[in-house]
Structures are given as structure tokens and as C-alpha cells.
Amino acid sequence: MENNNIIDEYVRSLKKSDRLGAQVVYHHVLPETPAFWSDLERPLSNELQDIMQKSGIQRLYRHQAAGIDQVRSGRHTVVATPTASGKTLVYNLPLFEKVLADAAARAFYIFPLKALAQDQLRAFEMMASFCKTIKPTARIYDGDTSAWHRKRIRTSPPNVVMTNPEMLHLAILAHHPQWAAFLSGLKLVVVDEVHTYRGVMGSHMAQVFRRFQRVCRYYGSLPTFIFSSATIGNPEQLATQLTGLPVRTVTQSGAPQGRRHVVFIDPYEGPAQTAILLLKAALHRGLRTIVYTQSRKLTELIAIWAQNRSGAFADRISAYRAGFLPEERRAIEARLSSGELLAVISTSALELGIDIGDLDLCILVGYPGTVIATWQRGGRVGRSGQESALVMIAGEDALDQYFMRNPHDFFERQPESAVVNPYNPEILMKHLTCAAAELTLRLDDPYLSEKPVEKALLKLEAGGDLLRSGDGNAFYSSRKRPHRTIDLRGAGSQFRIEKTGSGESTGEIDGFRAFKETHPGAVYLHRGETYLVDQLDLGTATVKVTRTQVNYYTRARGFKDTEIIDIYDQKGAAGTRVFAGRLKVTDQVTGYEKWAIHTKRRQNIIPLDLPPLVFETDGLWFVVPPEIQQSAESRQMHFMGGIHAIEHAAISIFPLLVMADRNDLGGISTPFHPQTAQAAIFIYDGVPGGAGLSRQAYERAEDLLAYTHKAIASCPCESGCPSCVHSPKCGSGNRPIDKGAALFLLEQIRAAAQMPPPATRQIQSAPRTRPAPLETPITKGRYGVLDIETQHSFQEVGGWHRADLMQVSCAVLYDSGDDRFYEFLEHQVPDLIRHLERLDVVVGFNIKRFDYQVLGRYTSLDFGKIPTLDILDEIHKHLGYRLSLDHLARTTLGVQKSADGLMALQWWKEGRIREIVAYCKNDVAITRDLFLFGKENGYLLFQNKAGHTVRVPVKW
């Protein structure tokens, strides 16, 4: 049976299958497309034409011809066409032409993966073997190259050096005098798979390429840059952001494409089990198959399961992932290319353009995260024009389920845009120190012409990292080789991970991730091995681990807070407003959860005492109009649960707009933010300095709201699940979450777009010199404990956000200085304010969000300047949800409140002020005793949902 008939029969059998047929939610056939050819503006020499023919190339596709024409004219060029469309010729032919004209012509080929360089070297050498006059030479210069060969490449340079970003940064730029001969003859720079240079790595590479051009100018070369990319939404913008150069694009592919089936499966069983069944059926039909998974561990597991169940085919199946030895990977690639292997199970390591021969079937175990990655992985099949199939098996992730419920959206969707922030200030400062170590930084250097660079220079000077010359016109690095302190694929400082006892290194982790992934007690995976973290040593930036086998995994818990530093822009979006700006984020890991691997049940929560991570980044935020918040609360909906659910869903659906993973993002939702004076939902770039993600998404803010609503509304679950509003990285364990409230709020916001916009209140961004808040623990001093009762309820004044209208009925303040309770009525509030100002610290329960807001109408005092401990706020920071004062008092102290707020309001209406004062005094006494208990014991007690009395640790 011919391949075309086999693929067709395979898909038809799948749809009719008793076991899997009902799980096929969509089948689409992409028709065959023909080749489109074109001629060059200027014909190639006879020798080059002969090389092409001997290489099996009769004519050029239109994108190849267009790209070569631009490169030959000296224009920086990006070619963004599908996988296996022949982009390599766009740079190889111009390079061969230059070498045949000048044997001293040089080029750098930069690949993101070592395997790509190996693959390209084979193709290059095959073409070079057909040359008659001068044979162009190429060598690989990477971490696997021996010291002897490295020296030989530097002293007797080939025409082409194939390398990777790390070697460009660490070995070439840091030691550029050793490359003087090569750099002075540099004509071309090839940047392959440029769409992978996004996010944090993109920010690093933007600075690496700027430093590289600076060094090139020093040696008198101005090379032409050639970028190759998968089909993305913004190839020109990306290449320009990465280099600062004007770049021309070529995007119209002329390569043919065979007929292709695309099948979406929403499995009843797990995705891995379904993949094994599909693979087994493919093997029996002789279909050459690649299975892509989302993790190294799953790659190995599926390979083992498949081999155990595939009988005679067991030796023709292999796993492939990062962590394998280079020779192991090369052997697998060769067996695939020759046809010896029928199937390979891979991580994204085989996503990029490594030649692994002609495959027939691609199985995706989970949505890869972007439309681009989906088509790139799918481009591994049907490379010779034969009929092929792409089968995507959905996981429970929100994006997977979104496309299962909206399959047409996948095929109508334009490729995502790759985003980079060239001037991330945290990353920029590190590279400026490298640039100064490479060549003295002078004030007239073009590298320093951008305003963000000038600002970073002054900060580095103030910190002693850069030293200004005596005449003030130049900067020198204070360190000779600062390059090794930079991880191009991470942000922040690096922590060394080593085995306890032996000190043997097992890798590194960037300091920004260390607190969440390698905190004490964490289960850490490295190259398929399981380790338990024994110690996180902040002083030496090391993590001590012990190899172990455990039946659980860990998940960090914590709390976050955000402060608006600057507002870049704001606009209307549906029935609300959206802002883009600079945020100061405080992110603290307060503990971790243990989850059983097999039952997926949480076993317990272990508290941790780690310092907070405080960083500035870019973000966007939506405010929720007060009338919509009031409407939800009046219907007894859990407003906080609703905005929390919206935050999670928006982050999970974010990659529909921008090339990102939800791990690249962070979020905070709050029912009242002091700077917006209303509820707000923040989404921010999860790396210090920002990666450009939220800025790009801000442009499509209304789409973000629409997709978020669609993702939640189309999920069939009743109260929320991982496919819509739950997040696996939620610091509060997805509590509270209210799917119904989220839908109501989004519907109200979108409906409000049809109404006239209300007057908007100008948000005041926080001054950068804002006094630091009080740092707990509180160890000594005169403290007071405050509680206030009001004359009006929140319903009467229009919501909690209008607490300033509720008016004081009475207040009670306990002063530890004289061990006395002081009582105040409304006309005595000025006396209360003066008393508060005399204290070292004020303790309360919900004091910041309520009591101070009520008192705000009586004074111009900035309560932010009063050292304050809010017990409710501290509890919320640790648990992620709030507990009542009565609950904490009953469980911790064995006492209970004498009344409640509703009763106090009723007493006010009846003029029974002494009862209100007594009730308020009782609350103050309880709050004081809770504070003292926590201070003495280091914890408070509460009852969880299961009825168990448990501790919430505090440090006052």
C-alpha cells in the first residue's frame, strides 16, 4: 500500500475506532500545495550552478531567490518560512560566492543548539566537496570542541565558524583579540532559528549582538546579518530589536507541501496512554513517527512503555532529549535519517531544523504552547511531499482545552509575535560591564547612544561596577572577565547546585527561580534524576541536594504584592480601563506543599522562612469598576474568587497573543489596590526588568479579555478546573477561586462597553523614593492595638472601597506603654490620631484596608508612614486567603468575640453606644492577645476545612 493510502487509512481507522473514535474532536485536511520557483536577479557563476546541480538542486524556490538577492546586495535579511523549506541555501550560496571570489572571506553561523551545527556542517561539507577551485571550509566551535581544536580554529581560521550564543558571549567576545584575523575578514553573520531568541534570552541576545557589532567595528568589518526563522508574526521587528539594524523580510514560501491531515483528540484516558495506542497502530502500518512530549521524564516513560508493548518493533523506537551525550544524539539522528528507527519520542530538542529524514506521522502529547511550535513540529513530517498527518492529544491545560473546544480558531489564527525587550535594565547593566571589559566604553560610542543605556551607566558607576576615567569621557570595567556571571537563558544571579557531602556539581539555577524550585525540602529533577534539597545557602549562592526516591512532589506557596511605579499608557478596553506600566513586585515564598504522585492529593504544608524577592518589571492591569464589584457582592458572589479566577485564566490564555509560556508571567488580583482606589487585576513579566510580553499584550488588551471569557465560558466544568481557572503555580493553592463570579464580572465588563464611559480617576504612581514599609519581625517598642466601629454598613455607602464614608461610631486603642485601653467617639478622632503618632507600632486586624480608610476622612495624615502590623494582612500573605478574627480567637485563645459588626450597626441605630464600646474593647483585647501569642510562640492556630487545628507561622 502506498504511503498516501496508508496515512488516509490510518486516520479513517482512528475515527472509526471503538476505543478512540469518540475522542476525535476535529479532523481537518490541508490540501497539497505546489512549488513556486524564481530566478535570481543576477545569475550565479558556472561553478556555483554546477555545485547546485551536483547537490540535487535544479531551481530555487521564490523565497530562496528573494533572500539571496537581498543578501548579495548587502541588505540585512530575515527569511521566515516553514520547516524544511530550504532556508539554508539563502546563506550558503552567498557565502560560497564570496569565498570563491576571496578565499579570506569569513562568516559566523550561530545556532541555538549544538545538534543544528552538526547537521549544518554535514550539509556544508557536502556542497563544498563539489567545488573545483577553492573549497570553502567550516568548523564547529562549541563546548564539545577540544582545547587543541579551538586553538587551531583561532590560529588557522576556516571560512565559516559554526557556534552558539554561549560561545559567542563567553569565548569569542571575551577573548576577541585572539579572533582578530577572523573578525577583520567577517562578511556574513547567520543567525539560525531566530524566533527562539525571545523573552529573557532575547533580551540577553539583543545586548550580545550589539556588543558583537561594536567589536566588529573595532576590527573594521561591517558584516551582513542573515536571519532564518519559523513563520512568526513579526520577523522584521524581532530581528531589528535583536540587532538595532534595518532588516528586510522574506516570508512568501515557494516550497511545496504534501496533503496533510490534522487531527485533534481530547482523551478520556491520559494523553501519554493515548499516544502509546496511536504509536502502536502507526508502527504496525510501518509509518515513520515522531512523538513530541512536554517533559524529559514523559519522553523516557512513553519510550519505555511503547517498547514494552510493541513486540518486534521494540528495537526500532528511541527516546531523544537534552541530557543525552552528544554521541548518543548523533547516533539516534543517523538511525532516524537512514530509516532504521521507525519512531522517536522527543522533547522540543528535535523541534528545530535538524535533518532526521522523511517522517509520516507527528503525534503531539499536549499543545506545544504556540501555533508556531505546533506547525514547526508538524513540519517534521511530509518533507518529501508525501501525504502526512499531525495528531494533537490535549492535556488538561487551559490552552489545550481551548483549542479542543474552538478548533477552527487554531486554523484561522495568525502566527504569534516573538517579543524581546532589548533594554531590560537588569540584563543591560550586566552586558555593559562585559562591553567595558571587552573595549573601553567612551561617551561617543554608538553603543551608548540610547537613553536606557545612559541611565544604566550612571547606576553602574554609582555601584562601582564601572569606573569613570579622569577626564570623564570613558568607562572601564572593574572586573577583567565579568562574562561568566551571566546566564544567557536566565535572569538574576546564578546558584550552583551541588551534591551534599561530595560537593559534585549537578548544574546551576538562576537566583530568581532558586527560591521557588530549590528551597529547603523541595523535590528537584535534573536529567531524569530526583534530588531532595537539603539547604539553600544565600550567602554562598549554593544549593545542597541529595539524590533520592520519593513518592511525592513539591509546590511552593507564597504571597505577592505590587506597587505601581510608573504608567506608560492607558486606554479603554471593553467596559473598563487597562494600563501599561512599571511595577514593583514583592514575591515571597512562605512554604511549600507536598503532593502525592499517584493519588495527586496534598499531604501537608511546610512553612519556610525565606527573604522576599523584590524586583521591578513591566506589567499591564485592568481595573474593575466599583459598580460592577458592588453588583457581584450584592449577589453574594465571592468577588475575590472571581478576580483571582480571571487572573489565572488570562495568564493561561496569554500565549494566544504573544509567544510566551505562563511560567514567563506573574499575576496579582486584589479587591482594593490603594493606588487605583478600586479592584485591579495585574499581569506582569515574571523576570526582573521585563521581557516585553505585557507591553505587546497591552496592544491587544480587549482581545485578552475576550479570549479569557471564551476560555472560561466554554469549559464544561462546574466550579473551575485546570482547563480554565486553576493554575499549577498558584502560591495560594488556587484559593479562593469562583468560576461563576469570574464569568459574571467579565460579562458585566464587556456589557459596560455599550454604555457611556464613566469619569476616570487618575492613578497616582508611587514615587521611587517612597519610604520602606515596616519590616517584621517586630521585636521591641511601645505598641498600640486599634479597632474601629462605624455608623454605616458597606452597602449603605456603596461598597468597601468607600470605607471613608462609613464614619466612626467609636474607637478603642490599647497602649502597651501604660497597659491601658483608651476610648474615643467620633468627635474625639483628632485625639486618637495624635495618640497613634506617639506609638512605635500600631497593631490591628484588617487595619490597613479598613480602619485607616475609615479614619482617612478625618485627617490628612499619611497612614503609610505609621509603622503598622496588620494581623489579617500577615495571615493572608502566608495562606493566600483570609480568616476571621473570631475564628482565630476561638482556635488560638479559646475565646470568642462578644458580638459582630452587624450587631454593632444595629446598636448604633438604637443609640446603644456603651454596648458598641464594650464590643470594640473586647475585639481590641482579642487582637492584642493574638499578637502576644504569636510573638511568644511563633504561630497562631486555625481550623482548616477538614476540621483540623493547624498552625499558621508568624514572626513578630
Side-chain angles (χ1 to χ4, degrees):
M1 189 184 294
E2 290 185 1
N3 170 273
N4 290 2
N5 293 331
I6 297 174
I7 284 288
D8 194 63
E9 184 272 333
Y10 177 84
V11 174
R12 281 189 284 106
S13 297
L14 170 60
K15 293 171 69 176
K16 291 179 181 178
S17 164
D18 292 337
R19 187 167 183 179
L20 296 176
Q23 300 171 46
V24 175
V25 298
Y26 193 70
H27 174 213
H28 183 77
V29 179
L30 297 171
E32 180 180 6
T33 56
F36 294 93
W37 312 98
S38 187
D39 295 322
L40 295 170
E41 294 175 356
R42 189 176 77 250
L44 295 170
S45 67
N46 291 335
E47 184 172 3
L48 277 175
Q49 290 184 40
D50 184 56
I51 292 169
M52 280 182 57
Q53 289 179 354
K54 288 178 179 177
S55 300
I57 303 165
Q58 302 304 316
R59 295 189 65 189
L60 294 173
Y61 299 134
R62 64 183 176 189
H63 66 278
Q64 292 174 325
I68 291 169
D69 283 337
Q70 289 189 181
V71 173
R72 291 169 97 190
S73 64
R75 298 189 185 100
H76 306 296
T77 301
V78 56
V79 181
T81 57
T83 303
S85 57
K87 293 187 282 285
T88 301
L89 275 182
V90 176
Y91 48 83
N92 271 349
L93 278 177
L95 183 279
F96 273 56
E97 187 173 53
K98 288 183 181 296
V99 173
L100 292 177
D102 175 10
R106 313 291 182 199
F108 271 123
Y109 286 12
I110 302 168
F111 302 102
L113 298 176
K114 293 177 183 178
L116 283 171
Q118 295 283 348
D119 193 50
Q120 289 291 321
L121 180 61
R122 288 191 290 270
F124 185 97
E125 289 179 337
M126 184 198 73
M127 279 189 68
S129 69
F130 301 128
C131 292
K132 294 178 180 177
T133 54
I134 299 173
K135 291 187 183 297
T137 55
R139 297 289 182 271
I140 291 175
Y141 195 93
D142 63 20
D144 295 335
T145 308
S146 69
W148 186 87
H149 280 103
R150 288 191 193 186
K151 184 176 180 180
R152 184 176 176 84
I153 289 169
R154 293 192 301 266
T155 56
S156 302
N159 297 110
V160 175
V161 169
M162 297 181 175
T163 190
N164 56 51
E166 280 77 11
M167 294 303 287
L168 179 63
H169 164 66
L170 287 170
I172 297 169
L173 289 177
H175 303 278
H176 62 83
Q178 300 176 17
W179 292 86
F182 190 93
L183 290 166
S184 61
L186 192 62
K187 304 297 182 187
L188 299 177
V189 176
V190 173
V191 183
D192 195 33
E193 307 287 2
V194 70
H195 61 280
T196 63
Y197 299 154
R198 62 183 189 269
V200 172
M201 187 178 184
S203 295
H204 279 293
M205 291 308 297
Q207 290 305 315
V208 170
F209 285 135
R210 283 162 173 78
R211 287 166 41 212
F212 177 60
Q213 292 175 70
R214 181 171 176 259
V215 170
C216 286
R217 287 193 296 270
Y218 178 78
Y219 290 104
S221 62
L222 294 171
T224 300
F225 278 74
I226 309 165
F227 305 90
S228 76
S229 172
T231 304
I232 59 174
N234 62 335
E236 180 180 355
Q237 180 191 36
L238 176 63
T240 297
Q241 286 180 332
L242 283 171
T243 58
L245 299 169
V247 181
R248 298 281 189 92
T249 59
V250 175
T251 56
Q252 292 295 313
S253 175
Q257 175 65 59
R259 188 168 181 260
R260 185 182 303 179
H261 298 261
V262 183
V263 180
F264 287 2
I265 295 179
D266 195 2
Y268 301 153
E269 301 178 75
Q273 180 66 29
T274 304
I276 292 168
L277 294 174
L278 291 172
L279 178 57
K280 188 175 180 181
L283 290 170
H284 282 287
R285 289 169 172 81
L287 294 173
R288 303 190 61 225
T289 305
I290 185 166
V291 181
Y292 282 104
T293 70
Q294 305 289 65
S295 70
R296 296 177 179 183
K297 190 170 184 179
L298 194 56
T299 295
E300 297 280 12
L301 289 175
I302 292 178
I304 292 168
W305 290 335
Q307 288 168 346
N308 290 340
R309 299 186 189 186
S310 56
F313 300 105
D315 293 335
R316 303 187 68 186
I317 303 171
S318 175
Y320 184 104
R321 59 168 176 79
F324 281 12
L325 295 172
E327 53 269 26
E328 291 175 321
R329 293 197 297 268
R330 299 299 90 76
I332 295 168
E333 293 159 17
R335 292 178 68 200
L336 265 176
S337 188
S338 68
E340 182 184 344
L341 278 181
L342 260 183
V344 65
I345 297 92
S346 175
T347 58
S348 60
L350 275 178
E351 178 181 310
L352 303 180
I354 304 163
D355 184 5
I356 51 175
D358 295 326
L359 304 179
D360 307 307
L361 174 64
C362 176
I363 299 172
L364 304 179
V365 185
Y367 176 60
T370 63
V371 172
I372 294 168
T374 304
W375 288 126
Q376 187 158 22
R377 294 180 184 187
R380 288 321 214 143
V381 299
R383 290 166 70 106
S384 295
Q386 79 271 28
E387 189 168 0
S388 60
L390 169 65
V391 180
M392 183 162 74
I393 309 167
E396 64 178 10
D397 187 82
L399 279 179
D400 296 49
Q401 292 300 315
Y402 178 86
F403 284 124
M404 292 300 117
R405 298 189 290 265
N406 305 279
H408 293 283
D409 193 10
F410 178 84
F411 294 94
E412 295 167 0
R413 178 167 296 280
Q414 293 297 311
E416 298 92 349
S417 294
V419 179
V420 63
N421 176 10
Y423 296 107
N424 174 309
E426 304 288 332
I427 292 172
L428 170 60
M429 286 194 292
K430 295 179 180 182
H431 286 276
L432 275 170
T433 61
C434 292
E438 290 155 7
L439 295 168
T440 302
L441 283 171
R442 303 193 180 279
L443 293 182
D444 58 355
D445 192 320
Y447 182 48
L448 306 184
S449 60
E450 297 286 346
K451 200 160 190 176
V453 178
E454 180 184 337
K455 188 175 180 181
L457 269 179
L458 297 176
K459 195 168 183 179
L460 287 167
E461 182 187 9
D465 296 287
L466 291 182
L467 307 175
R468 191 186 286 256
S469 63
D471 61 7
N473 294 323
F475 290 92
Y476 308 96
S477 175
S478 62
R479 289 177 292 168
K480 186 176 181 181
R481 294 277 188 269
H483 300 69
R484 291 199 173 274
T485 63
I486 298 176
D487 173 15
L488 296 184
R489 299 171 196 265
S493 58
Q494 292 297 109
F495 277 64
R496 173 185 164 90
I497 304 173
E498 57 185 44
K499 293 181 181 178
T500 300
S502 69
E504 180 187 346
S505 175
T506 59
E508 291 185 331
I509 185 169
D510 91 44
F512 192 66
R513 291 166 44 225
F515 283 27
K516 293 189 177 182
E517 297 182 25
T518 57
H519 55 75
V523 175
Y524 179 71
L525 295 176
H526 178 71
R527 295 195 172 182
E529 302 292 345
T530 303
Y531 294 88
L532 198 61
V533 177
D534 301 316
Q535 182 184 8
L536 174 64
D537 190 326
L538 305 182
T540 61
T542 55
V543 180
K544 303 282 189 180
V545 299
T546 300
R547 186 175 169 185
T548 186
Q549 290 294 326
V550 292
N551 61 356
Y552 63 89
Y553 62 93
T554 54
R555 181 185 293 171
R557 291 174 62 90
F559 75 89
K560 292 180 285 188
D561 190 22
T562 185
E563 182 179 293
I564 300 167
I565 299 296
D566 193 13
I567 298 170
Y568 305 146
D569 197 8
Q570 60 174 295
K571 64 182 179 181
T576 185
R577 294 194 70 75
V578 61
F579 299 80
R582 193 76 172 168
L583 300 174
K584 179 180 178 182
V585 176
T586 301
D587 191 348
Q588 181 158 23
V589 174
T590 58
Y592 64 96
E593 302 170 348
K594 286 185 178 180
W595 287 75
I597 291 173
H598 300 296
T599 63
K600 295 186 177 179
R601 291 181 178 274
R602 188 173 69 191
Q603 296 175 338
N604 57 352
I605 302 173
I606 295 91
L608 291 171
D609 183 17
L610 293 173
L613 287 170
V614 182
F615 63 97
E616 290 187 16
T617 187
D618 288 338
L620 63 85
W621 60 97
F622 298 92
V623 292
V624 181
E627 59 273 16
I628 293 179
Q629 178 175 356
Q630 183 180 352
S631 180
E633 290 173 340
S634 69
R635 288 169 169 77
Q636 305 301 310
M637 290 182 171
H638 199 309
F639 179 75
M640 179 61 207
I643 59 175
H644 193 192
I646 293 171
E647 173 208 323
H648 283 184
I651 289 173
S652 67
I653 221 71
F654 206 91
L656 289 178
L657 306 177
V658 180
M659 286 183 75
D661 181 89
R662 70 171 159 200
N663 292 317
D664 299 330
L665 304 162
I668 300 172
S669 42
T670 174
F672 181 84
H673 192 277
Q675 289 172 273
T676 66
Q678 56 191 307
I681 300 168
F682 294 83
I683 300 174
Y684 55 84
D685 297 353
V687 294
L693 302 171
S694 57
R695 286 200 187 198
Q696 183 99 357
Y698 169 77
E699 302 301 324
R700 299 183 62 189
E702 199 148 336
D703 288 341
L704 180 59
L705 283 172
Y707 285 132
T708 301
H709 178 263
K710 191 174 182 179
I712 300 175
S714 60
C715 184
C717 76
E718 184 175 338
S719 58
C721 69
S723 296
C724 55
V725 297
H726 285 189
S727 168
K729 63 175 198 145
C730 179
S732 61
N734 291 297
R735 295 181 189 175
I737 287 288
D738 191 326
K739 178 182 177 180
L743 282 172
F744 174 82
L745 293 170
L746 287 167
E747 286 161 2
Q748 291 295 303
I749 288 171
R750 299 180 74 194
Q754 313 303 320
M755 304 172 63
T760 58
R761 177 185 179 276
Q762 182 65 39
I763 294 177
Q764 297 298 317
S765 56
R768 292 181 181 269
T769 56
R770 184 174 181 178
L774 173 73
E775 293 184 5
T776 54
I778 298 167
T779 55
K780 59 185 178 179
R782 177 184 175 191
Y783 68 88
V785 183
L786 174 68
D787 186 47
I788 288 174
E789 297 302 323
T790 63
Q791 301 176 22
H792 305 291
S793 68
F794 76 90
Q795 293 100 332
E796 291 172 333
V797 300
W800 290 111
H801 61 287
R802 297 315 314 269
D804 58 315
L805 300 180
M806 295 172 75
Q807 291 183 262
V808 172
S809 63
C810 76
V812 174
L813 176 68
Y814 170 79
D815 189 332
S816 69
D818 53 13
D819 191 23
R820 176 182 168 187
F821 291 88
Y822 291 88
E823 301 170 3
F824 304 89
L825 299 180
E826 185 180 28
H827 69 279
Q828 297 169 310
V829 167
D831 297 330
L832 167 63
I833 301 295
R834 285 190 289 272
H835 199 139
L836 290 175
E837 291 181 294
R838 295 197 297 269
L839 298 169
D840 294 312
V841 64
V842 178
V843 180
F845 194 90
N846 201 24
I847 186 172
K848 293 179 181 177
R849 295 159 51 86
F850 179 72
D851 301 68
Y852 285 168
Q853 299 298 319
V854 174
L855 291 175
R857 72 173 290 157
Y858 300 97
T859 178
S860 60
L861 174 67
D862 181 2
F863 286 97
K865 294 181 178 178
I866 293 183
T868 302
L869 172 67
D870 188 331
I871 293 179
L872 179 60
D873 192 45
E874 295 294 314
I875 295 294
H876 179 260
K877 286 176 182 177
H878 186 79
L879 298 177
Y881 52 88
R882 293 174 174 81
L883 297 171
S884 70
L885 178 64
D886 189 53
H887 182 118
L888 285 167
R890 283 188 287 107
T891 314
T892 305
L893 306 174
V895 300
Q896 62 184 43
K897 285 162 59 76
S898 59
D900 59 38
L902 292 177
M903 180 64 71
L905 289 167
Q906 182 63 35
W907 285 338
W908 173 259
K909 293 177 182 177
E910 296 169 1
R912 299 161 65 182
I913 189 66
R914 290 315 307 168
E915 282 96 333
I916 303 175
V917 172
Y919 160 62
C920 190
K921 183 177 180 181
N922 180 259
D923 269 9
V924 169
I926 288 173
T927 304
R928 175 201 61 190
D929 293 345
L930 278 175
F931 166 66
L932 293 174
F933 184 97
K935 189 171 186 292
E936 181 177 348
N937 295 282
Y939 62 85
L940 299 179
L941 300 173
F942 74 101
Q943 278 198 335
N944 62 11
K945 288 187 177 181
H948 301 131
T949 300
V950 293
R951 291 183 178 186
V952 52
V954 297
K955 195 168 185 179
W956 296 334

